[in-house]
Amino acid sequence: MAAQIIDGKAVSAKVKEEVRQEIEREGLEVGLAVVIVGDDPASRVYVNNKKKACEVCGIKSYEYALPAETTEEELLELVDTLNADEKVNGILVQLPLPKHLNEEKVIERISPMKDVDAFHAANVGKIMIGNYAFLPCTPAGCMELIHSAGIDVSGKECVVIGRSNIVGKPMAMLLLHENGTVTVCHSRTKDLKEVCRRADILVAAVGRAGFVTADMVKDGAVVIDVGINRNADGKLCGDVAYDEVAEKASFITPVPGGVGPMTIAMLMKNTVMAKRIQSK
Ligand code: GUN
């Protein structure tokens, strides 16, 4: 039987509408600074989408587009300025940064109270403990999609492919917090196919088009595709070979229109949360 499609566009619209209403109801003044360094075309698209979402929600966005040759010192100085700016509740530095800039150093400079990506070590530590203010946007978006389909994670076999700090590791934590039995796979995993075939919930965050094929998926599994890739024809596609896997899965997220819009919706939620934390 063909899988049910989890509509990330619809779920994200609902989350953004909730954020918009909350801001309107309470008359909150919320600001998000978005920093982009260089001219990576994918980053430009993401940043534009984040700014659009701010507009929809009634959040003021401040864009800082810096040239690729910006020095680390200049970028850190900007972060210091934004940390001190009361109009700015959230600071987002779009990754990846140009090679000569140390991402970790830049992220660690952001005030943890304004770190709406939840990339700062202080926030990552809180996620690990399970006591957190900011949810990591992409994993939180995946959880929201899983919930929207009425799926209970408790006791399920969950397999996450990919161990990045942005997605794989925090995703594993959120599934664990909901009592999933979690396995994290990566490039050194032996028998990847066999491990994936155990999954009731399979999350693909690999960054390779069509990596997850039908033979890696159990009948009736829930498949969450975090990948955003371009295939040989330049068409946007996920990490999952969609057509064949959709024949086997019970639920599947499409690309585009799945996890992508959710990441941005959760960012909006975090930005309002940042405002609340700073108002205390
Ligand atoms: N690059 C890819 N995904 C993200 C994200 O969620 N936040 C930031 N800041 N950069 C990214």
Side-chain angles (χ1 to χ4, degrees):
M1 220 188 53
Q4 272 182 260
I5 297 165
I6 308 181
D7 184 349
K9 257 180 133 166
V11 180
S12 76
K14 188 163 162 269
V15 171
K16 284 186 285 188
E17 176 57 17
E18 283 164 9
V19 171
R20 190 194 68 75
Q21 286 181 16
E22 184 181 347
I23 289 172
E24 188 182 67
R25 192 171 55 237
E26 301 186 33
L28 300 174
E29 284 188 17
V30 187
L32 174 67
V34 182
V35 181
I36 175 169
V37 185
D39 44 19
D40 179 61
S43 288
R44 176 36 71 192
V45 172
Y46 299 145
V47 163
N48 288 349
N49 288 340
K50 286 169 187 179
K51 282 165 55 189
K52 263 188 235 159
C54 282
E55 227 167 274
V56 167
C57 294
I59 293 173
K60 196 149 177 34
S61 68
Y62 305 93
E63 180 181 311
Y64 296 84
L66 307 180
E69 26 335 315
T70 300
T71 65
E72 196 165 276
E73 203 172 304
E74 285 167 333
L75 182 55
L76 292 173
E77 223 168 86
L78 173 61
V79 171
D80 288 342
T81 305
L82 296 173
N83 280 338
D85 186 340
E86 285 191 4
K87 292 193 302 301
V88 172
N89 303 110
I91 302 170
L92 180 144
V93 177
Q94 187 65 31
L95 304 180
L97 290 171
K99 292 268 176 294
H100 67 283
L101 301 171
N102 182 335
E103 285 184 356
E104 197 180 331
K105 203 165 160 191
V106 174
I107 288 165
E108 292 306 304
R109 192 72 158 245
I110 298 172
S111 161
M113 290 206 301
K114 296 192 175 186
D115 169 39
V116 284
D117 268 320
F119 289 169
H120 191 288
N123 288 321
V124 173
K126 285 187 173 183
I127 291 161
M128 192 86 175
I129 294 166
N131 164 28
Y132 39 82
F134 298 127
L135 297 161
C137 298
T138 299
C142 293
M143 295 308 290
E144 197 81 19
L145 289 178
I146 290 168
H147 296 152
S148 79
I151 293 147
D152 182 11
V153 174
S154 185
K156 299 263 165 47
E157 286 285 344
C158 305
V159 174
V160 179
I161 319 174
R163 55 174 157 181
S164 71
N165 289 328
I166 295 185
V167 183
K169 286 186 210 168
M171 186 71 224
M173 280 303 132
L174 299 196
L175 290 164
L176 185 59
H177 291 158
E178 294 199 8
N179 304 312
T181 302
V182 184
T183 305
V184 181
C185 297
H186 45 79
S187 54
R188 306 283 176 90
T189 297
K190 291 202 177 98
D191 298 327
L192 178 69
K193 182 167 113 180
E194 291 314 313
V195 178
C196 290
R197 283 176 69 91
R198 293 206 300 260
D200 301 309
I201 299 173
L202 182 61
V203 180
V206 191
R208 279 168 63 182
F211 183 83
V212 175
T213 46
D215 58 335
M216 296 163 76
V217 177
K218 177 162 90 174
D219 270 322
V222 176
V223 179
I224 306 292
D225 190 349
V226 182
I228 302 181
N229 315 293
R230 299 227 175 239
N231 68 9
D233 305 328
K235 190 168 158 260
L236 216 55
C237 59
D239 290 344
V240 175
Y242 184 86
D243 291 338
E244 58 179 74
V245 172
E247 291 294 315
K248 248 179 142 179
S250 59
F251 290 92
I252 191 165
T253 65
V255 178
V259 174
M262 290 308 296
T263 297
I264 297 179
M266 302 322 277
L267 173 69
M268 299 297 108
K269 256 185 126 150
N270 280 349
T271 306
V272 177
M273 176 64 75
K275 170 77 183 182
R276 292 199 184 286
I277 291 171
Q278 290 151 36
S279 301
K280 271 188 192 152

